[in-house]
Amino acid sequence: MFSAWHEFKKGKKSKIDVATFDLNLENNIFRLHDQLVSGKWQPDPYTVFFVKDPKLRKIHKASVRDRVLYQAIHQSLYTLFNPLFIFDSYASRQLKGTHRGVIRLNKYIDKVSDNRRKVVYVLKCDIRKFFDSINRTILLNILEQKVLDSNLLELLEKIISSLKSEEDKGLPLGNVTSQLFSNIYLNELDQFIKHHLKAKYYVRYCDDFVIVNESLDFLNDCLFKIKNFCSERLLVDLHPNKIEIRKISSGIDFLGYVSLTHHRILRTRTKNRMLRRLLVIKQQYDRGEIDKLKLHQIVQSYFGLLKHCRSKKITKQIKDILGI
């Protein structure tokens, strides 16, 4: 509703139009409130579309009414659960993100390797079809341990079950609540790795995670136990083609960057996608389809990405494309 308000404000509307919009917004919020109090609220059907980033993903977009509700629930649950998460969980959290996750990984590598003087290994894993595989019953059981309000639990069950599925699993990719639910679900894995396996140097972003250690035997033992924990306790599986144990000298591909012994570079796929996108953007600018401000914003966002790695060559390629 709030984004709709901003879209509405862009046009030249009369005071009567604005008042009508405000009244409709207020009425919709009161109607939602009444449905929640009476227990009659049911989620609207999702709008489904696909994005390629870079692999094809199926996105479920909730209605405006439901997005307002989901945002409010997210804020409430975030306050409750965020203090329970480990420090090194970096997805969908305030003051976290991919760049901080990569920086943390490199700090751990420096520490374990005595500033890159010793050989260290990194175990890197990925959970196969994570959002589609989340078991709803397990998720609700985890939520019940902290959420004591029965009405809220009933509401959470409706949200978790809002994506139609033949099996009792899967969350809609695109819901703000799904991002938080995924962290709550994988916090079980975080706690197991940190406190049971005693892996001190562990970083996770969504379903991608790494462990740094000087012992190859320790990492192999961790891998065996993590596989069992995921399949038996969380009913998810590690992606067999995305399990790696590598020396840092071989390069660690994590969160869009490849960390090497003395520096990091942008992942090749990310670099190529960026350059292709810039070619399209430049053509749109030349045709007058986007203005100079929009072009500047896009280019600066890419320069912001590149400042976290060695990027002299890529920066030159960008300038050549733009003719600057």
Side-chain angles (χ1 to χ4, degrees):
M1 289 182 185
F2 301 110
S3 61
W5 166 246
H6 289 301
E7 291 298 318
F8 181 83
K9 288 284 282 185
K10 287 179 182 178
K12 293 182 178 179
K13 305 295 180 181
S14 69
K15 292 182 179 179
I16 295 176
D17 290 333
V18 174
T20 301
F21 188 95
D22 285 340
L23 181 60
N24 289 336
L25 176 63
E26 184 176 326
N27 288 339
N28 285 332
I29 291 177
F30 279 124
R31 189 177 301 115
L32 174 59
H33 173 267
D34 292 341
Q35 290 173 341
L36 292 170
V37 171
S38 65
K40 294 180 180 179
W41 176 85
Q42 295 293 333
D44 290 331
Y46 289 100
T47 300
V48 179
F49 61 95
F50 294 86
V51 297
K52 193 171 184 181
D53 185 35
K55 63 182 179 181
L56 196 65
R57 298 181 186 275
K58 188 176 183 180
I59 306 298
H60 293 82
K61 182 180 179 181
S63 66
V64 174
R65 179 203 67 165
D66 288 351
R67 292 205 301 274
V68 171
L69 173 61
Y70 297 162
Q71 187 65 51
I73 289 174
H74 177 276
Q75 292 176 7
S76 178
L77 290 182
Y78 185 90
T79 302
L80 176 63
F81 281 95
N82 189 60
L84 306 178
F85 297 155
I86 64 169
F87 182 87
D88 286 320
S89 166
Y90 286 88
S92 304
R93 297 178 67 194
Q94 296 170 11
L95 303 178
K96 299 292 182 177
T98 55
H99 293 147
R100 285 186 169 91
V102 172
I103 291 170
R104 187 69 161 178
L105 169 62
N106 280 266
K107 285 183 178 178
Y108 280 160
I109 290 171
D110 287 342
K111 186 170 184 177
V112 178
S113 67
D114 191 17
N115 289 321
R116 318 281 172 138
R117 287 193 285 264
K118 298 190 301 186
V119 175
V120 297
Y121 302 90
V122 177
L123 166 65
K124 181 175 179 288
C125 300
D126 179 291
I127 296 176
R128 186 175 184 177
K129 296 182 178 179
F130 173 57
F131 276 91
D132 292 335
S133 302
I134 292 176
N135 184 279
R136 297 170 180 174
T137 299
I138 293 175
L139 175 58
L140 283 167
N141 288 338
I142 296 171
L143 290 168
E144 287 172 358
Q145 296 174 22
K146 295 297 178 184
V147 178
L148 304 181
D149 187 309
S150 59
N151 292 326
L152 179 55
L153 281 171
E154 182 179 347
L155 185 60
L156 293 176
E157 184 173 5
K158 288 181 180 180
I159 296 171
I160 291 169
S161 304
S162 62
L163 181 64
K164 303 305 179 185
S165 172
E166 295 180 0
E167 301 178 342
D168 183 30
K169 63 181 184 179
L171 295 179
L173 190 59
N175 264 13
V176 65
T177 52
S178 295
Q179 299 168 6
L180 179 56
F181 288 151
S182 69
N183 270 339
I184 292 171
Y185 200 80
L186 286 183
N187 184 55
E188 302 294 302
L189 176 62
D190 296 340
Q191 301 298 332
F192 174 76
I193 291 175
K194 292 290 288 186
H195 301 298
H196 182 78
L197 300 185
K198 306 295 183 183
K200 292 176 62 177
Y201 307 111
Y202 164 74
V203 178
R204 180 177 65 80
Y205 186 94
C206 196
D207 60 322
D208 294 331
F209 59 90
V210 290
I211 302 174
V212 183
N213 200 276
E214 68 272 19
S215 169
L216 196 57
D217 290 338
F218 175 81
L219 292 179
N220 278 311
D221 184 58
C222 284
L223 176 58
F224 174 77
K225 292 175 180 176
I226 289 170
K227 281 183 177 179
N228 288 341
F229 182 87
C230 286
S231 62
E232 295 174 6
R233 296 281 296 278
L234 298 180
L235 300 185
V236 296
D237 296 311
L238 299 184
H239 198 303
N241 299 330
K242 295 183 179 180
I243 298 173
E244 296 179 339
I245 300 181
R246 300 167 66 101
K247 293 179 181 179
I248 180 60
S249 57
S250 300
I252 308 303
D253 187 341
F254 186 59
L255 302 184
Y257 298 93
V258 178
S259 297
L260 297 159
T261 305
H262 297 294
H263 64 280
R264 59 178 173 266
I265 59 175
L266 197 65
R267 179 189 289 161
T268 301
R269 291 199 307 273
T270 305
K271 179 193 74 172
N272 292 338
R273 190 166 69 249
M274 176 193 299
L275 295 176
R276 287 196 301 269
R277 175 64 175 157
L278 276 172
L279 282 170
V280 173
I281 293 297
K282 180 61 165 57
Q283 291 169 358
Q284 291 176 335
Y285 174 72
D286 291 340
R287 294 194 299 264
E289 296 172 7
I290 62 172
D291 59 22
K292 190 172 183 179
L293 176 61
K294 180 65 174 178
L295 176 65
H296 177 76
Q297 290 172 339
I298 294 171
V299 172
Q300 290 306 309
S301 71
Y302 285 145
F303 283 154
L305 183 69
L306 293 173
K307 73 179 183 180
H308 297 280
C309 64
R310 181 175 290 181
S311 57
K312 184 176 180 180
K313 183 177 178 180
I314 306 175
T315 299
K316 184 179 183 305
Q317 289 176 291
I318 292 174
K319 290 182 177 180
D320 288 342
I321 291 173
L322 299 175
I324 58 178

